[in-house]
């Protein structure tokens, strides 16, 4: 099989997933198909030799294409169109209407309300949120797409997530305050102190776990201070092996099995409370995380 045939086969195998990515970012069947066409043009000119994760590579490229398209759309809207033209409407192209049934099926798979909210997000936030929260792409792979650091990309997704959830966007805590709050969480976990745990958790705190963490630790998503505090107490026996760490440059924590991290905890903190906890146990993701002791930096 020739290289082009092999590449065509790989692209076809991932096409359905790539189309979902493009549609969730762009909100239009027509634009999603345009994004896939541009993605194919880019990969057909690229050297795919040595690509180990074809799905991740293709998702990264379609993410870049979609971000370019979003930015072009924003520039066009600012020049020509009223703001009320925004929204996941049926798109007319070349005098022909996009397949309404196709559009409706994809919109239903996401939820029209979510599409409307996504339309209000800045392009980089939307891409970071969709690729991470909906398609589980690691932040270190998303960061080059949106031209941000890994930590800045994490904050883009966090801001988008709070917007999607209808929460008021809040600034991240000062690093010293962040450390104090995360330390208080770990101390309360070690002590089995339910009330102290609840005290550092926002009432609407969200805990999210990747698939590997969910299999061994918790459900993929938990909500509410009491629920998450109870779950933390269930694992209080592991707390002594959980260390305060710098996780990609920000204060977080890691649970170690021997000398190797088996679970990383990423915290989003406002000035007073923990508003989000992310659990990462996927070995590939763990290898991509920059962990350091706090006294090393």
């Amino acid at each position: 099989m020739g290289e082009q045939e092999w590449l065509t086969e790989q692209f076809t195998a991932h096409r359905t997933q790539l189309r979902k990515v493009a549609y969730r970012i762009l909100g239009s069947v027509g634009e999603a198909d345009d994004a896939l066409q541009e993605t194919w043009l880019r990969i057909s000119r690229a050297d795919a030799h040595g690509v180990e994760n074809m799905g991740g590579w293709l998702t990264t490229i379609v993410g870049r294409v979609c971000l370019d398209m979003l930015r072009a759309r924003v520039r066009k809207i600012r020049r020509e169109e009223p703001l009320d033209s925004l929204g996941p409407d049926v798109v007319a192209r070349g005098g022909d209407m996009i397949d309404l049934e196709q559009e409706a099926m994809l919109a239903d798979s996401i939820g029209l309300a979510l599409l409307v909210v996504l339309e209000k997000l800045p392009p980089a936030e939307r891409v970071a949120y969709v690729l991470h929260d909906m398609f589980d792409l690691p932040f270190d792979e998303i960061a080059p797409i949106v031209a941000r650091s890994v930590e800045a990309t994490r904050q883009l997704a966090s801001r988008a997530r709070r917007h999607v959830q209808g929460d008021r966007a809040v600034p991240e805590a000062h690093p010293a305050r962040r450390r104090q709050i995360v330390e208080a969480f770990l101390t309360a976990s070690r002590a089995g102190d339910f009330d102290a745990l609840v005290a550092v958790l926002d009432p609407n705190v969200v805990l999210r776990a990747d698939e590997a963490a969910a299999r061994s630790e918790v459900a993929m998503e938990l909500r509410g201070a009491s629920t998450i505090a109870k779950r933390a107490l269930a694992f209080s026996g592991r707390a002594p092996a959980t260390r305060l760490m710098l996780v990609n440059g920000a204060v977080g924590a890691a649970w170690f099995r021997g000398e190797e991290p088996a679970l990383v905890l990423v915290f989003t903190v406002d000035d007073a409370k923990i508003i989000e906890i992310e659990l990462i146990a996927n070995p590939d993701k763990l290898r991509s995380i920059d962990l350091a002791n706090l006294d090393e930096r």
Side-chain angles (χ1 to χ4, degrees):
M1 181 184 296
E3 182 179 345
Q4 279 297 107
E5 290 178 307
W6 173 80
L7 200 56
T8 300
E9 185 179 87
Q10 293 298 312
F11 183 76
T12 301
H14 291 89
R15 184 181 180 87
T16 299
Q17 181 75 353
L18 296 175
R19 195 164 184 265
K20 289 179 180 178
V21 172
Y23 182 73
R24 293 192 185 195
I25 294 175
L26 297 169
S28 159
V29 168
E31 288 187 319
D33 288 339
D34 288 345
L36 259 63
Q37 183 176 359
E38 176 62 25
T39 298
W40 168 249
L41 291 174
R42 292 193 188 187
I43 68 170
S44 65
R45 297 191 294 263
D47 182 3
H49 289 297
V51 175
E52 296 181 1
N53 181 355
M54 182 58 65
W57 183 65
L58 290 171
T59 300
T60 297
I61 294 173
V62 81
R64 287 180 178 141
V65 169
C66 289
L67 182 59
D68 290 344
M69 292 175 68
L70 283 177
R71 286 170 172 161
R73 183 198 296 176
V74 169
R75 288 193 295 269
K76 181 179 179 182
I77 288 169
R78 285 174 178 169
R79 289 196 309 265
E80 303 173 2
E81 301 177 16
L83 289 177
D84 59 9
S85 66
L86 282 172
D89 286 326
V90 177
V91 181
R93 291 162 62 228
D96 298 322
M97 297 301 290
I98 297 300
D99 188 324
L100 292 178
E101 182 180 1
Q102 215 174 24
E103 188 103 25
M105 287 175 62
L106 278 172
D108 185 60
S109 72
I110 301 172
L112 186 59
L114 176 57
L115 277 177
V116 172
V117 173
L118 289 178
E119 281 286 350
K120 298 177 182 177
L121 298 177
E125 282 189 20
R126 193 191 311 191
V127 170
Y129 173 78
V130 168
L131 292 181
H132 181 266
D133 282 43
M134 295 183 176
F135 293 96
D136 206 28
L137 204 67
F139 284 118
D140 64 315
E141 294 182 23
I142 302 171
I145 299 174
V146 295
R148 304 286 206 285
S149 68
V150 172
E151 182 61 21
T153 304
R154 190 185 305 281
Q155 295 310 313
L156 285 175
S158 181
R159 286 198 299 271
R161 196 176 301 123
R162 289 196 293 268
H163 195 119
V164 167
Q165 294 166 355
D167 296 335
R168 176 179 59 88
V170 292
E172 276 285 291
H174 185 276
R177 180 61 173 154
R178 180 188 179 103
R179 174 172 181 163
Q180 182 182 21
I181 292 171
V182 173
E183 279 185 314
F185 176 86
L186 295 179
T187 299
S189 298
R190 295 183 184 115
D193 190 332
F194 176 81
D195 291 336
L197 280 168
V198 171
V200 296
L201 296 171
D202 185 86
N204 298 313
V205 62
V206 179
L207 182 147
R208 291 184 174 85
D210 67 15
E211 290 183 3
R215 282 196 296 269
S216 59
E217 306 292 336
V218 297
M220 291 192 74
E221 184 171 296
L222 296 174
R223 292 178 177 271
S226 295
T227 300
I228 293 172
K230 289 174 184 176
R231 196 62 183 172
L233 291 181
F235 292 94
S236 59
R238 297 184 183 183
T242 303
R243 298 187 230 158
L244 197 69
M245 304 287 292
L246 281 176
V247 180
N248 291 330
V251 179
W255 175 66
F256 285 79
R257 186 182 290 119
E259 295 300 316
E260 296 297 321
L263 180 71
V264 166
L265 294 84
V266 179
F267 297 87
T268 301
V269 182
D270 68 8
D271 286 333
K273 305 279 185 177
I274 294 169
I275 59 177
E276 185 179 316
I277 305 171
E278 182 181 3
L279 302 184
I280 301 171
N282 181 294
D284 291 333
K285 293 181 182 178
L286 290 176
R287 283 191 287 271
S288 71
I289 291 174
D290 179 18
L291 280 181
N293 292 322
L294 282 170
D295 56 2
E296 290 182 357
R297 295 187 179 182

